Amino acid sequence: MKKKVTLDSIEKRGFTSYEEEVAYVHKQMQDGLLTPMKSSATNDRYPPLYLKYWMTKEEKQDYSDELNHLHYALDPTYYLSHQKEYEKVRSFVLALQQYLSRPHQRGRISAREGAYEIFGYEKVFDENKHLLAHLGLSLEDLDFYETVEPIAYYTNGLFQNALIVENSSPYFTIRDLLLHHQTTFLGESFDTIIYGAGHRIESTLKEAKLSFLPYDLEKCRFYYCGDIDYEGLSIFDNARKLLPMKPFDAMYRLMLEHATNRKLTLMKEKQTQPSDDVYTCFAPDLRSRMQEVLKSGYYIPQEMINRRDLEDAS
């Protein structure tokens, strides 16, 4: 069976020069492994190569010798037995080998800065999560550190009672009310509002001490409120394992009350499921009502509550 391949995918084999790439493509054509798609354009180099080819028979290449001669810091064990995977990341591994083999400046830099220095593309580690682990390395071994997305939050300076919300609308509403000196919301006092931004809160909380400098997190009580759907509960479930927090029951309760006799929207399919014990975090009356909504296939967004509810009920 013929398979369509692009020149871009061929280039990922990690050629050291354009001449080497041309020689490889011409050899594959001579051996009947590649047939150019003459309806496709050519690149703008000399000699030109077609941008698309038919692969009539897939070449099986043994990289064992190459792998066994990698830099001593790179463990070849995994890729020796997964050479199809190696072929996909070969150009990255060879670039990493070159980086380790040459003198380079020491001193900690971020993972994306390091990726750009090594590969010329800053997101290599983001898009190839297991690349280093499969070579027996970590970011720390390279003197790189991970970064997290900056988090949006507002505090009146105390940072003792913080509410994390999943969506941007309640974040801006509550922030504005705090700026207007309202500190009680649905019977609970808050001095800080944090925008969780969906699942982004999880990466933020992994570096919580850095994200919320200079505040002492151990002196703060954290509460959470998000959409009532499987994804929203999954976000809370993961967040509470990274930082002690409670659900803001009063807000969830008001969302459920507003949803009564309202036409709800169907939940998106294939949502991440929370662990079963997440429901035990909620008051018993909330637990049963939330599960009833979820089992029906509908969801309740945070936007079910608006500014008037928070002002009137405070």
Side-chain angles (χ1 to χ4, degrees):
M1 181 183 291
K2 292 195 296 185
K3 176 184 175 183
K4 189 186 296 183
V5 294
T6 65
L7 186 61
D8 283 343
S9 66
I10 293 171
E11 287 172 346
K12 289 180 180 177
R13 300 179 68 87
F15 301 108
T16 57
S17 68
Y18 184 64
E19 290 74 18
E20 183 184 343
E21 179 184 345
V22 170
Y24 171 82
V25 172
H26 286 176
K27 180 70 166 62
Q28 295 292 296
M29 290 167 59
Q30 289 171 10
D31 293 345
L33 299 174
L34 287 179
T35 303
M37 295 176 64
K38 295 188 177 178
S39 59
S40 72
T42 58
N43 61 3
D44 296 326
R45 305 183 70 175
Y46 184 82
L49 293 173
Y50 284 96
L51 297 179
K52 295 179 182 177
Y53 297 84
W54 289 113
M55 181 183 284
T56 51
K57 188 168 42 172
E58 199 162 352
E59 178 192 28
K60 290 186 178 178
Q61 187 161 343
D62 186 356
Y63 293 102
S64 299
D65 186 61
E66 179 174 289
L67 285 163
N68 283 320
H69 287 86
L70 290 177
H71 187 276
Y72 67 87
L74 302 175
D75 183 354
T77 305
Y78 178 84
Y79 285 121
L80 280 168
S81 57
H82 297 81
Q83 294 203 19
K84 291 291 288 182
E85 284 185 49
Y86 175 67
E87 197 167 79
K88 295 175 184 176
V89 298
R90 180 172 176 256
S91 62
F92 299 140
V93 176
L94 295 181
L96 188 56
Q97 163 146 298
Q98 288 182 359
Y99 173 78
L100 292 170
S101 301
R102 67 175 185 261
H104 51 271
Q105 287 183 313
R106 296 294 174 181
R108 295 189 77 222
I109 58 176
S110 76
R112 285 192 175 184
E113 291 165 348
Y116 192 83
E117 189 172 304
I118 297 170
F119 312 109
Y121 177 53
E122 71 278 8
K123 295 183 180 178
V124 168
F125 296 131
D126 300 305
E127 296 173 1
N128 299 271
K129 298 288 187 185
H130 303 295
L131 175 65
L132 292 180
H134 287 165
L135 292 166
L137 282 179
S138 67
L139 290 173
E140 290 74 21
D141 293 328
L142 296 172
D143 219 8
F144 299 162
Y145 57 85
E146 287 191 77
T147 56
V148 296
E149 291 289 337
I151 191 167
Y153 71 96
Y154 170 76
T155 180
N156 63 14
L158 297 175
F159 209 92
Q160 293 177 349
N161 293 283
L163 173 61
I164 304 170
V165 291
E166 178 183 344
N167 301 336
S168 59
S169 291
Y171 167 74
F172 281 108
T173 294
I174 297 172
R175 187 188 71 167
D176 191 53
L177 292 172
L178 281 170
L179 285 166
H180 285 83
H181 310 295
Q182 179 177 323
T183 57
T184 303
F185 301 89
L186 305 177
E188 189 70 45
S189 294
F190 291 105
D191 52 56
T192 302
I193 181 69
I194 299 167
Y195 174 37
H199 281 284
R200 192 189 300 174
I201 189 66
E202 296 162 29
S203 60
T204 299
L205 293 183
K206 287 177 183 176
E207 297 289 344
K209 289 184 179 179
L210 290 175
S211 298
F212 299 115
L213 282 173
Y215 301 104
D216 185 350
L217 301 189
E218 293 183 2
K219 294 180 179 178
C220 183
R221 293 186 302 165
F222 289 91
Y223 293 82
Y224 187 90
C225 186
D227 294 337
I228 298 177
D229 61 0
Y230 290 122
E231 202 73 45
L233 290 174
S234 176
I235 294 167
F236 167 62
D237 192 20
N238 293 334
R240 72 189 177 98
K241 294 170 184 174
L242 296 167
L243 188 70
M245 65 180 68
K246 297 178 180 179
F248 186 20
D249 281 350
M251 199 166 185
Y252 282 109
R253 186 172 286 109
L254 189 59
M255 289 166 65
L256 285 162
E257 288 174 5
H258 280 12
T260 305
N261 300 322
R262 289 280 299 270
K263 185 177 180 180
L264 300 177
T265 304
L266 284 170
M267 207 185 314
K268 290 181 181 178
E269 296 181 357
K270 298 180 181 178
Q271 294 204 348
T272 306
Q273 295 283 335
S275 61
D276 290 338
D277 68 345
V278 72
Y279 298 102
T280 63
C281 298
F282 295 87
D285 64 308
L286 282 178
R287 194 181 314 161
S288 58
R289 290 165 69 190
M290 289 171 73
Q291 289 176 314
E292 186 180 328
V293 171
L294 296 172
K295 287 176 182 177
S296 70
Y298 294 97
Y299 85 103
I300 303 173
Q302 282 190 288
E303 287 77 5
M304 184 69 74
I305 294 176
N306 60 42
R307 184 188 182 101
R308 290 188 296 273
D309 298 310
L310 294 170
E311 285 178 319
D312 294 343
S314 62

